[in-house]
Amino acid sequence: MPALHAAGATVLAHENTKKRMSEAHDLPVFGLHFEPSPAEALPQETFASSKRLKANGESLALQHFAPAHTDTDIYILFEKGNVIHMGDTFFNGFIRTSTSSTGGKIGGMIAAADKILGLASANTKIVPGHGPLGNKEDLTKFRAMLVTARDRVQKLKTAGKSAQEAVAEKPLADLDAAWGKGMLGSEQFLQVFIWRCEIAPR
């Protein structure tokens, strides 16, 4: 973002984005450590809940989600164009969900999909954080995958299984054929994201 600032752009983000960028954090599953961003890389403007903008004849509505992929997520509705940008709350065709180290919750990912499905029509273009341009049908499939994964893992937790025992049972293996083409397979999806984002393993 320093390059954007230097070019004269004003960077707008949710207030939690600025907070998270100002802190160090880790993603152990990928062996990544992030130092706090320098001041010149932080957003110059933030908002708490919602924001409206007009640009190039288009009206944009920005709205914060409850914690989903992280606690910084927003969606952007391009009202005239009938386009909704969901960012990383939607991975089209990939297994991916919330990041617990930055406040994410799989239940929030499902709620985010519900929110957008309520706004979208059959003709709405839905922009994912990763994967090809999507639509309402694609988002419906993504939501169904998340619900299936959550419910199966929750059943194992309720039965008193540990994270390691749950992984050994491979409850999500059948999702790999359709959804395991990205950076995560079903086992990693279960152990690192769903398990930690819902209830801490025993």
Side-chain angles (χ1 to χ4, degrees):
M1 278 198 288
L4 296 176
H5 292 178
T10 298
V11 177
L12 170 68
H14 187 263
E15 61 187 15
N16 285 348
T17 300
K18 186 172 184 178
K19 176 179 180 292
R20 291 294 186 182
M21 291 179 67
S22 300
E23 304 169 339
H25 66 275
D26 296 290
L27 287 176
V29 63
F30 300 124
L32 298 175
H33 172 77
F34 298 92
E35 291 294 333
S37 298
E40 62 270 21
L42 300 176
Q44 297 111 310
E45 294 185 17
T46 62
F47 66 95
S49 179
S50 61
K51 181 85 173 178
R52 294 193 66 86
L53 299 172
K54 289 188 177 294
N56 299 324
E58 176 63 273
S59 296
L60 290 76
L62 288 66
Q63 182 70 47
H64 182 235
F65 284 121
H69 177 255
T70 69
D71 61 8
T72 72
D73 300 309
I74 68 169
Y75 69 86
I76 305 171
L77 170 61
F78 296 78
E79 294 176 340
K80 293 183 180 179
N82 194 21
V83 174
I84 301 174
H85 199 311
M86 291 184 66
D88 280 356
T89 61
F90 177 32
F91 274 52
N92 193 9
F94 297 90
I95 285 180
R96 186 73 159 95
T97 183
S98 44
T99 303
S100 58
S101 64
T102 49
K105 298 178 183 297
I106 191 171
M109 293 286 289
I110 295 166
D114 288 338
K115 174 68 176 179
I116 301 306
L117 289 171
L119 293 175
S121 69
N123 297 319
T124 303
K125 296 179 176 65
I126 303 178
V127 182
H130 296 266
L133 181 67
N135 55 30
K136 192 169 184 176
E137 181 180 358
D138 296 322
L139 181 58
T140 299
K141 292 177 181 177
F142 180 70
R143 180 195 182 279
M145 180 273 292
L146 293 176
V147 170
T148 296
R150 179 201 62 189
D151 291 351
R152 290 180 185 176
V153 173
Q154 188 61 59
K155 184 177 180 180
L156 292 171
K157 289 179 179 180
T158 300
K161 302 288 185 179
S162 69
Q164 292 72 28
E165 289 168 338
V167 168
E169 292 197 20
K170 300 184 183 298
L172 309 180
D174 60 315
L175 300 179
D176 277 328
W179 297 96
K181 301 182 290 292
M183 63 182 71
L184 297 180
S186 60
E187 291 187 7
Q188 197 173 39
F189 179 48
L190 185 162
Q191 187 169 11
V192 177
F193 291 99
I194 301 178
W195 200 273
R196 294 184 182 179
C197 291
E198 294 298 304
I199 300 172
R202 72 186 189 195

